């Protein structure tokens, strides 16, 4: 489980097309390679840099030291960087011993916690100000003010920020209870984001309770801290966009694409079985597992919904947005299959198949490859007038003076692949009509994947 946000509305991120320098890449929510190296070094240095609470009584034995010093009666100066806690402190004990290291607000707040693992005593604490948003803990965008080295819920040590988005922020933390790194998503402190966070947590709880391999990120815990919903996740590796970038925006082998496609389709099948729509499938939201070289997991269910509880009409990142969303037609889980087709094409090409500068040009990009949409779809389109004047396409110029002509760049010409099974798979994922588009079950049985 994104400061300018890397998403707008429901997370519309753009990427650099190396063959089309006019398309600009916005900052992405996902973890950079540099951050990943930092994460690795942070974990290696944990026992040196990350220890907060000392052993404070004879009946609290440290796993790093079998002796039982009593520092309550010791004349040795207090050293807050002493040794790792093997058990949590009670809030009363932590307050009694370490109140000098807490802010005035924390001396009252800590009493709401039955277990205390980490205090962030070296951090530059936020000073409470009653005239500022959320007593000074929030910025003017209602994002939580993240302080590196401080605590979240007296348990998690903030190590660094992974990214920001329209929903809030994600940071890498060390969990002093489990002694493991976790990613924590901190939701913006606004009612509409709280509402969506509750939906996201319901979906993640549903997926977690299945006890099957569903290729979706695992939610560890969720809780509220200083009026912000927080969700902790398992840490994962680089995302597919980062992998494409590190590969010089060159496409991957068919074998690699098949492996990734199988896992994504397995995820989408499970979502469809549970009547869940992801609503923002894209390379940035597909991350490699840390323990499996070619294993992936789908992340960011912040725009997701149950099929019978759709509340958004402006969804999906632009390059992966299904035509029914662009046209203003009622949608279902088939929008995720369109996104998957776009992702598979990108893994093959190395760059996005449809890379419009705006929503209007996005549909023109699709028509350039797929021709005109069927009339029965246009008859349902609430946004038809955005793209057509009567039966004629509004063939506008983009910022580079380019005019896109429907049907002028057939998919088989762009793909340049002699594998007819691959072309058929891709073409059927990118079907205009969602009723005729491949669904996950049919896609998993397609000859291209079974070869």
């Amino acid at each position: 489980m994104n400061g300018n946000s890397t998403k707008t509305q429901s997370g519309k991120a753009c990427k650099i097309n190396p063959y089309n320098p006019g398309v600009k890449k916005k900052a992405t929510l996902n973890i950079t390679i540099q951050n990943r190296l930092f994460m690795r070094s942070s974990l290696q240095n944990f026992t040196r840099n990350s220890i907060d609470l000392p052993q404070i009584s004879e009946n609290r034995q440290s796993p790093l030291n079998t002796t039982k010093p009593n520092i309550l009666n010791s004349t040795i100066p207090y050293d807050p960087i002493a040794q790792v806690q093997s058990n949590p402190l009670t809030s009363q004990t932590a307050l009694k011993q370490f109140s000098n290291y807490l802010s005035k607000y924390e001396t009252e707040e800590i009493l709401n916690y039955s277990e205390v693992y980490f205090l962030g005593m070296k951090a530059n604490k936020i000073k409470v100000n009653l005239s500022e948003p959320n007593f000074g803990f929030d910025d003017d965008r209602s994002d939580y003010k993240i302080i590196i080295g401080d605590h979240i819920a007296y348990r998690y040590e903030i190590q660094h920020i992974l990214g920001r988005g329209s929903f809030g922020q994600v940071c890498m933390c060390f969990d002093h209870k489990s002694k493991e790194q976790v990613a924590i998503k901190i939701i913006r402190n606004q009612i509409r984001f709280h509402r969506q966070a509750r939906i996201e947590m319901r979906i993640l709880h549903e997926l977690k309770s299945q006890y099957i391999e569903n290729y979706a990120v695992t939610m560890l815990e969720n809780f509220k801290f200083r009026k912000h919903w927080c969700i902790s996740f398992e840490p994962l590796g680089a995302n597919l966009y980062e992998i494409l970038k590190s590969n010089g925006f060159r496409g991957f082998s068919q074998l690699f694409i098949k492996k990734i496609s199988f896992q994504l389709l397995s995820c989408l099948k499970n979502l469809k079985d549970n009547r869940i729509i992801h609503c923002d499938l894209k390379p940035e939201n597909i991350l490699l597992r840390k323990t499996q070289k070619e294993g992936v997991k789908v992340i960011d269910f912040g725009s997701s919904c149950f099929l019978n509880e759709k509340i958004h009409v402006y969804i999906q990142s632009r390059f992966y947005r299904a035509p029914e969303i662009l046209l203003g037609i009622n949608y279902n889980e088939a929008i995720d299959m369109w996104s998957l087709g776009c992702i598979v094409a990108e893994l093959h090409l190395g760059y996005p198949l449809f890379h419009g500068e705006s929503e209007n040009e996005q549909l023109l990009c699709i028509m350039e490859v797929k021709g005109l949409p069927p009339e029965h779809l246009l008859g349902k389109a609430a946004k038809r007038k955005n793209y057509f004047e009567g039966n004629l396409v509004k063939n506008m110029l983009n910022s580079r003076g380019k005019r896109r002509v429907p049907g002028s760049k057939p998919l088989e010409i762009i793909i340049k692949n002699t594998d007819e099974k691959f072309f058929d798979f891709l073409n059927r994922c990118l079907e205009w009509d969602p009723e005729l588009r491949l669904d996950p079950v049919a896609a998993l049985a397609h000859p291209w994947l079974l070869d």
Side-chain angles (χ1 to χ4, degrees):
M1 241 219 284
N2 32 26
N4 291 335
S5 74
T6 63
K7 292 181 171 183
T8 58
Q9 302 287 330
S10 56
K12 316 302 182 271
C14 297
K15 297 199 293 294
I16 294 173
N17 176 358
Y19 298 94
N20 186 354
V23 178
K24 296 182 179 179
K25 170 71 178 176
K26 294 181 181 178
T28 62
L29 166 66
N30 298 282
I31 306 168
T32 63
I33 299 297
Q34 182 180 5
N35 278 345
R36 250 168 253 297
L37 294 174
F38 180 83
M39 287 160 43
R40 213 170 286 126
S41 63
S42 298
L43 189 57
Q44 291 169 350
N45 295 331
F46 165 67
T47 55
R48 185 174 71 249
N49 298 329
S50 186
I51 302 164
D52 188 65
L53 295 177
Q55 178 180 332
I56 65 166
S57 69
E58 291 188 358
N59 62 359
R60 296 182 59 80
Q61 184 168 321
S62 165
L64 301 184
N65 189 345
T66 57
T67 62
K68 300 180 179 180
N70 185 348
I71 63 172
L72 291 179
N73 301 318
S74 173
T75 57
I76 301 173
Y78 166 62
D79 177 9
I81 310 302
Q83 57 190 346
V84 177
Q85 284 291 98
S86 59
N87 297 296
L89 300 177
T90 65
S91 56
Q92 291 84 357
T93 301
L95 180 60
K96 181 179 179 180
Q97 299 299 324
F98 309 115
S99 59
N100 289 341
Y101 295 88
L102 302 175
S103 69
K104 184 177 179 180
Y105 181 90
E106 288 176 323
T107 59
E108 296 183 12
E109 178 189 56
I110 196 172
L111 295 175
N112 296 320
Y113 292 82
S114 59
E115 297 182 340
V116 174
Y117 295 87
F118 182 76
L119 294 171
M121 289 186 281
K122 294 197 298 180
N124 184 20
K125 302 283 187 179
I126 296 172
K127 293 181 174 59
V128 169
N129 187 332
L130 298 180
S131 64
E132 293 184 2
N134 194 18
F135 306 116
F137 290 116
D138 294 359
D139 61 20
D140 55 9
R141 208 181 76 116
S142 301
D143 268 323
Y144 182 70
K145 293 178 182 177
I146 292 177
I147 305 296
I148 304 302
D150 205 358
H151 69 86
I152 294 176
Y154 299 92
R155 171 176 169 178
Y156 304 95
E157 177 183 0
I158 301 172
Q159 295 183 320
H160 59 279
I161 297 173
L162 298 176
R164 291 182 170 91
S166 62
F167 62 85
Q169 304 165 93
V170 177
C171 56
M172 182 60 67
C173 298
F174 191 87
D175 182 352
H176 282 260
K177 180 176 182 178
S178 68
K179 304 297 185 285
E180 295 176 339
Q181 277 189 311
V182 297
I184 296 185
K185 186 175 186 176
I186 307 175
I187 308 298
R188 284 169 67 183
N189 184 17
Q190 290 183 11
I191 292 175
R192 63 191 178 107
F193 293 108
H194 289 185
R195 186 184 305 117
Q196 184 61 41
R198 284 191 286 270
I199 296 171
E200 179 177 9
M201 289 184 289
R202 280 177 56 206
I203 290 172
L204 290 167
H205 178 75
E206 177 72 25
L207 297 175
K208 183 180 180 179
S209 65
Q210 294 174 341
Y211 301 104
I212 61 171
E213 177 54 86
N214 54 33
Y215 299 97
V217 66
T218 301
M219 176 181 70
L220 302 176
E221 299 192 39
N222 61 80
F223 54 92
K224 229 174 186 182
F225 176 63
R226 295 174 181 172
K227 298 185 179 180
H228 291 264
W229 276 111
C230 301
I231 308 174
S232 65
F233 297 95
E234 60 178 326
L236 295 169
N239 64 63
L240 288 188
Y241 173 72
E242 292 172 334
I243 302 301
L244 278 166
K245 184 177 179 180
S246 67
N247 197 44
F249 295 105
R250 295 185 299 270
F252 297 113
S253 70
Q254 288 280 298
L255 181 59
F256 177 81
I257 298 173
K258 284 182 184 181
K259 289 180 179 179
I260 300 298
S261 298
F262 174 82
Q263 294 173 67
L264 294 180
L265 287 167
S266 298
C267 179
L268 293 186
K269 177 186 179 301
N270 187 58
L271 294 183
K272 182 178 172 65
D273 289 344
N274 289 278
R275 300 176 67 79
I276 295 169
I277 312 174
H278 185 276
C279 295
D280 197 19
L281 197 64
K282 58 183 177 180
E284 290 93 338
N285 285 341
I286 302 165
L287 272 58
L288 296 181
R289 300 171 188 247
K290 286 196 166 188
T291 56
Q292 194 175 341
K293 185 178 179 182
E294 294 179 350
V296 296
K297 285 201 172 189
V298 174
I299 69 163
D300 196 356
F301 288 80
S303 302
S304 304
C305 64
F306 290 97
L307 181 61
N308 61 341
E309 298 178 7
K310 293 178 290 186
I311 58 175
H312 300 299
V313 294
Y314 188 67
I315 51 176
Q316 299 186 291
S317 295
R318 189 189 314 128
F319 294 172
Y320 313 94
R321 193 172 298 157
E324 52 266 41
I325 302 300
L326 294 166
L327 289 167
I329 300 171
N330 188 32
Y331 63 90
N332 57 25
E333 304 98 332
I335 66 171
D336 289 337
M337 282 301 298
W338 177 275
S339 299
L340 179 131
C342 295
I343 292 166
V344 171
E346 186 168 346
L347 294 177
H348 173 71
L349 296 169
Y351 55 89
L353 176 62
F354 307 121
H355 45 81
E357 295 178 346
S358 64
E359 189 167 66
N360 280 10
E361 197 198 10
Q362 187 66 23
L363 190 66
L364 288 171
C365 286
I366 295 171
M367 288 193 285
E368 187 178 48
V369 175
K370 298 290 295 179
L372 293 172
E375 184 57 38
H376 73 275
L377 280 185
L378 291 178
K380 307 176 192 175
K383 298 181 181 178
R384 176 173 181 157
K385 291 183 179 179
N386 292 1
Y387 312 101
F388 295 87
E389 291 179 352
N391 293 324
L392 299 177
V393 177
K394 289 183 179 179
N395 224 342
M396 61 197 75
L397 299 176
N398 64 18
S399 65
R400 300 180 306 282
K402 179 178 177 58
R403 188 184 304 276
R404 299 189 182 276
V405 179
S408 62
K409 292 173 65 176
L411 184 62
E412 56 267 32
I413 301 299
I414 297 174
I415 294 301
K416 297 177 183 176
N417 188 298
T418 56
D419 186 341
E420 293 182 2
K421 293 176 183 177
F422 175 67
F423 172 76
D424 182 71
F425 175 87
L426 198 55
N427 197 41
R428 292 176 64 189
C429 287
L430 299 174
E431 168 62 50
W432 276 109
D433 189 339
E435 298 300 320
L436 301 177
R437 198 174 297 154
L438 272 183
D439 68 11
V441 174
L444 284 166
H446 193 277
W448 173 66
L449 272 183
L450 299 179
D451 272 357

